[in-house]
Amino acid sequence: MARQWDNYEAVQRFPLLKGYINMFSDISYHNEMAALISFFYVQGQSLVDYMRIPINNSHIDSRIHLFWIQPTRSGKTIAWEHTGEVLDTLGIKQDMFSTGTDAALIGSWNKYEEDGEQVLELQEGLLAGKKALNFDEGSLLFETKKQHLSEVVLYLQQAMNPVGTKANTLVKHMKDGSIETESRVSFWLTTFPPQGVREVVLTKGVFQRVLLLIRPWPIERREQVSEERMNTAFKRPPPYEYSLQDFATYFSTVRAALQARVLGIAEMERNDWAKLGTDPKEKIVQDAMYDMFTVDNSFYPLLNAHKDHMYELVRVMDPQMADVVCAFIPNLLNYTIILATHMSLLDDYTQSDDEVAEFNWIVKGDHVDMASEIIYDLYEELVTWLESEVELEHVSKARKSRQASWKAAYTASPALSVGDKPGDWVRKADLLEIYAKQNGGLSRNTQFLHYRDAKTLFKETAVGVSKFVQWLDE
């Protein structure tokens, strides 16, 4: 990852999130990024009945679907222990899938006789209803030559479509009658990097619907994890700042607040809500979604700057491969909005009085900024992985081109001496202004995003409020 996990603004701002990561990481060593995603994975599933985020005349929901690709024996399986414990405290159903037929996923008809008559009873499949579903052997999805596994992939894609849309309804036609299943499942898929992954990633739409976490696991890290595990044998873990109950209280509080928000907008009592079926409830939630949240003035500029930042990485690629990478971007932008919305709720909870949590329902630009840090790092890891797996030389050219642009802007900036510090320096403000002009007049937000990405190229110092940078020789 481009950043250490504890350098993310969200981790630094929200102690509860940091506490969750610390506890997770004592179970699954050095998998802090998975821990961070796990927090919002739980939040997304807990809010799935109430959160719809409108995108013009359509919408997305609160769920996060993780596909974690990492070598074997690196903590992926045991990571579910912590996530599952938190889900248990919230009363959220969870299940596992390793192999099976489409009937296991969609459901089947159970036939039996009663009083001399044949009765058909629907046996629900794993994808029905609301639950957290752990695919511990996601490598099954790569076995495309098996017809029933191809159907599994298709059903997973449909289940990941936004709740409340026709595309989310899974249909299986059988001789005893059709089975229709609405899925509110959140997927947690893990696998080692299997052979032949390149072709599958480039052709299977499921990968464009999940949040891909791709991490190497070098020998040095394996050795470090082994040492840490051995040194904790027979030792009780240290006390944590936050407990499982603290996390459960937070998620439950947010869920109750969203339900109250929907009912308030709909002018409905809780007892009346409880009497309704799934379809009427969904209609009420979708009717309320435009009034659930508002955004501040910085939301759209920062979201668009994040979008620009992502597309700039593919502009110098070979057109065919650029199309492959661009297929991931719309979903990553959706996840940016989803994460920003989740962070707005965490922000309100963090700033509330200890006794009563108050929510202002405003998604702000700094929530977008925090979400963008995480999503862009995942995006860069994805591109780096595609670069190595699909031999995308053009991606490295894009990075070199960006580095050359900063070098040109630095060279064109007036050189200055800064106190007794050795070498020539330039004002950071001059550097950003010249970089923006040389690259087509970039907005100020985009300038800062680009600089954040290129920060390792420079050494920084300050004199009073004035900031200066110096180019670091390679």
Side-chain angles (χ1 to χ4, degrees), residues 103 106-112 119-125 128 172 174 177-182:
I106 304 300
S108 60
W109 292 111
N110 182 24
K111 291 191 286 188
Y112 63 92
V119 178
L120 285 177
E121 183 180 65
L122 178 62
Q123 186 76 31
E124 285 192 340
K172 180 73 174 177
M174 307 177 73
S178 297
I179 295 177
E180 291 192 4
T181 300
E182 184 205 51

Side-chain angles (χ1 to χ4, degrees), residues 58-90:
S58 61
H59 68 267
I60 52 182
D61 61 58
S62 62
R63 294 175 299 164
I64 290 172
H65 307 295
L66 174 69
F67 202 131
W68 182 5
I69 299 177
Q70 189 168 291
T72 55
R73 302 295 297 169
S74 58
K76 299 190 301 300
T77 300
I78 200 171
W80 185 253
E81 293 295 319
H82 176 74
T83 305
E85 274 195 275
V86 179
L87 291 166
D88 281 339
T89 62
L90 294 169

